[in-house]
Amino acid sequence: MLLNQKKRKLQAFGIIAFIVVPLLGWVVPVSKAKPNLPANRPNIIYILTDDMGYSDVSSFGGNFVPTPNIDRIAANGRKFNQFYSAAPICSPSRAGFITGNYPGRWNFSTYLDNRKHNRNAQQADFLDPEAPTIAKIFKNAGYATGHFGKWHLGGGRDVTNAPGFEKYGFDEHVSTYESPDPDPLITATNWIWSEKDSIKRWDRTKYFVDKTLEFMQKHKGQPCFINLWPDDVHTPWVPRKEKEYTGQYPMNLEEEAAFKLVLKEYDIQIGRLLDGLKRLGLDKNTIVIFTSDNGPLPSFRGSRAAGLRGTKLSLYEGGTRMPFMISWPGHITPGTIDETSVLSALDLLPSLAKIAGVKLPGYYRGDGKDRSTALLGKPSPRNMDMYWEYGRNDIAFKFPKGRDKSPNLAIRSGQWKLLMNSDGSDAQLYNIQKDQNESKDLAADNPKIVQGLKTKLEKWWSSLPKLE
């Protein structure tokens, strides 16, 4: 039953708030039944890098350091040049992937912080445990489900009542302080890194990779769905102290030299993952996806986003267009590139379900679409618009400065992309196919196109729930 037929109370910020417009997602509790599955169901590892720019890695044009191991995913499979995250910042971006819904439907529009911040931002303290999740759906189909890495969908700081991972469908987990159950080995303090951590900042990706491989070894013979969500390459960049790393330490944790060292180590650990899959004999039947949650910050004058306008926190392309690679030996032709298909992170839940032979439940209402044929190698145009938001007021949202500061709403419809504020001001129109750097605003020359897209965007914005 749709939630607009039955107004439901949602607990958030320690007060009672009401959803005043419908949500599209509705789920039933995770079933404990595990149906028999064919032995050839693929494992799926979804690698969600934190704050990686479109062109950080070599296969997408990066020249910071060589990234041969990450590039192996593209070399063994397919890369997509027009893949978009659900938001330009971590929490809503992650909510979008895991639910297949626009994050605003679950009251996410910026990163989760303490209760006061979340209240000021007009958003929830954590993802509603009744939300649909890819883990619930795959678990109900017989998959073993694991989450290893950053969560940032509830818990941490003064949010002590966030639901546990099992409420979202995960059998096992290891996570950071921004979660309901932080691992003590990496969370000596309530922060992203501390010298007191047993496992140091520079070894965290290694730790998450080890946990992923251990999980797959443990569940050999059962298909696995795994979120591998490292908190690299998010600042602070804290490289290992070795002789080759000269200079003062800690170095400036947001300077390019530190970033290069962290990216180099990150690539090594992705190589360990790929080698580990082969050692376990699981490489041939494992889908590996590599992407990022949102754009980079700092961007080093746009060099981390291939010159695309915008950064993390921005709805310009540099904030939402992500590197994306997928490999599956024997099913995806190696070394191929899709220049034309436009994909959204919201598409991944229905697409991976189709590829894995997992039937979507009747109660599921997603905002993405099945793009499995494109993922497997057949480019196709997109006949569904994509929408974004970042920011619902002027209190809790700090945009980038200068030309990277975007309006707070956006729509891409075919070749056109319109950005505007939720009050209708500052409408900007770009032809993304001809001007992916969003350098020439065409709004004044195309009033009919602007009006049509504004109408769509306003209707979508009005459909999102609002917390009182």
Side-chain angles (χ1 to χ4, degrees):
M1 176 167 42
L2 292 176
L3 296 184
N4 60 320
Q5 296 172 341
K6 184 180 180 182
K7 284 188 180 179
R8 161 173 88 73
K9 293 183 180 180
L10 183 148
Q11 183 71 41
F13 331 130
I15 60 174
I16 296 294
F18 291 88
I19 296 175
V20 297
V21 291
L23 293 176
L24 293 188
W26 177 258
V27 301
V28 296
V30 177
S31 170
K32 294 183 179 179
K34 292 188 176 181
N36 293 324
L37 294 178
N40 62 349
R41 287 282 178 98
N43 303 301
I44 299 172
I45 301 177
Y46 182 70
I47 305 171
L48 187 64
T49 310
D50 200 1
D51 287 10
M52 174 167 273
Y54 183 80
S55 62
D56 279 352
V57 300
S58 302
S59 52
F60 276 81
N63 57 9
F64 296 99
V65 296
T67 53
N69 293 299
I70 295 172
D71 298 339
R72 280 164 59 185
I73 302 172
N76 293 333
R78 190 168 181 81
K79 74 170 192 171
F80 290 79
N81 289 342
Q82 295 192 75
F83 176 85
Y84 291 88
S85 64
I89 194 165
C90 46
S91 298
S93 172
R94 292 157 194 267
F97 161 70
I98 203 172
T99 65
N101 290 149
Y102 285 112
R105 300 210 187 279
W106 298 100
N107 296 293
F108 283 78
S109 58
T110 187
Y111 70 97
L112 292 185
D113 200 331
N114 58 45
R115 290 177 178 274
K116 180 180 179 181
H117 162 95
N118 298 337
R119 183 168 59 251
N120 289 340
Q122 300 176 21
Q123 66 176 3
D125 283 329
F126 48 77
L127 180 62
D128 190 330
E130 294 186 5
T133 71
I134 191 169
K136 288 180 184 179
I137 292 170
F138 273 69
K139 180 180 173 67
N140 283 342
Y143 270 70
T145 55
H147 177 92
F148 305 109
K150 180 176 177 177
W151 179 241
H152 214 169
L153 290 170
R157 301 179 175 91
D158 63 350
V159 179
T160 58
N161 61 333
F165 284 90
E166 70 282 356
K167 298 296 185 182
Y168 301 105
F170 291 101
D171 295 319
E172 296 183 26
H173 65 273
V174 172
S175 194
T176 66
Y177 84 104
E178 291 170 316
S179 79
D181 184 23
D183 186 327
L185 296 181
I186 55 177
T187 54
T189 62
N190 194 26
W191 183 235
I192 197 168
W193 173 70
S194 168
E195 291 184 350
K196 297 178 182 179
D197 293 341
S198 298
I199 295 172
K200 304 303 182 187
R201 172 76 173 175
W202 50 81
D203 280 332
R204 293 175 92 168
T205 296
K206 179 178 184 294
Y207 184 53
F208 297 140
V209 167
D210 288 345
K211 291 297 181 182
T212 297
L213 294 172
E214 289 171 10
F215 182 83
M216 297 190 74
Q217 172 72 60
K218 177 180 177 180
H219 293 278
K220 216 171 179 183
Q222 180 182 5
C224 296
F225 173 84
I226 297 173
N227 281 343
L228 175 55
W229 291 6
D231 43 14
D232 285 329
V233 291
H234 193 297
T235 57
W237 295 314
V238 187
R240 185 190 307 274
K241 289 182 282 188
E242 294 179 356
K243 291 182 179 178
E244 65 179 285
Y245 303 161
T246 59
Q248 183 180 1
Y249 187 85
M251 63 177 66
N252 182 335
L253 302 185
E254 292 193 6
E255 68 181 9
E256 189 167 338
F259 166 69
K260 289 179 178 179
L261 297 176
V262 168
L263 180 58
K264 178 181 178 181
E265 177 64 23
Y266 185 60
D267 181 73
I268 290 170
Q269 296 310 320
I270 298 302
R272 289 184 64 251
L273 172 72
L274 300 178
D275 293 343
L277 290 174
K278 186 173 183 179
R279 185 175 64 252
L280 292 172
L282 299 173
D283 56 315
K284 295 293 192 294
N285 198 35
T286 298
I287 297 171
V288 177
I289 293 173
F290 182 94
T291 188
S292 176
D293 59 347
N294 49 250
L297 197 69
S299 69
F300 305 138
R301 301 160 301 282
S303 63
R304 294 183 60 196
L308 297 174
R309 183 177 180 179
T311 66
K312 176 182 179 177
L313 316 179
S314 171
L315 292 179
Y316 294 120
E317 296 286 285
T320 57
R321 189 186 290 209
M322 300 294 104
F324 185 90
M325 317 171 197
I326 180 171
S327 68
W328 187 18
H331 299 269
I332 297 176
T333 304
T336 52
I337 302 173
D338 190 326
E339 299 271 5
T340 58
S341 298
V342 179
L343 304 180
S344 165
L346 307 183
D347 301 334
L348 292 177
L349 192 158
S351 301
L352 292 174
K354 180 64 176 292
I355 290 171
V358 172
K359 185 177 180 180
L360 291 176
Y363 57 76
Y364 180 69
R365 299 292 183 271
D367 289 311
K369 65 178 300 183
D370 173 16
R371 301 286 277 152
S372 56
T373 56
L375 291 177
L376 295 176
K378 185 177 180 181
S380 60
R382 185 178 192 86
N383 57 8
M384 178 185 286
D385 297 336
M386 296 186 297
Y387 298 88
W388 295 269
E389 69 164 327
Y390 174 68
R392 293 192 171 184
N393 54 47
D394 294 328
I395 299 173
F397 304 94
K398 295 183 179 179
F399 297 86
K401 296 179 180 180
R403 68 185 301 271
D404 288 338
K405 180 179 179 180
S406 73
N408 73 310
L409 300 178
I411 175 177
R412 177 165 176 182
S413 182
Q415 65 182 327
W416 297 107
K417 180 177 176 183
L418 179 85
L419 301 97
M420 72 175 191
N421 290 315
S422 51
D423 63 3
S425 65
D426 195 18
Q428 303 172 24
L429 180 70
Y430 301 96
N431 187 318
I432 291 300
Q433 289 183 355
K434 297 179 180 179
D435 180 23
Q436 66 178 8
N437 293 337
E438 294 164 295
S439 60
K440 187 176 181 180
D441 182 0
L442 302 175
D445 298 329
N446 298 274
K448 290 185 178 180
I449 294 174
V450 169
Q451 187 55 53
L453 295 179
K454 284 185 71 172
T455 299
K456 287 184 176 183
L457 193 49
E458 288 168 349
K459 182 178 180 180
W460 174 78
W461 167 250
S462 297
S463 77
L464 298 179
K466 307 298 191 296
L467 292 175
E468 292 181 351

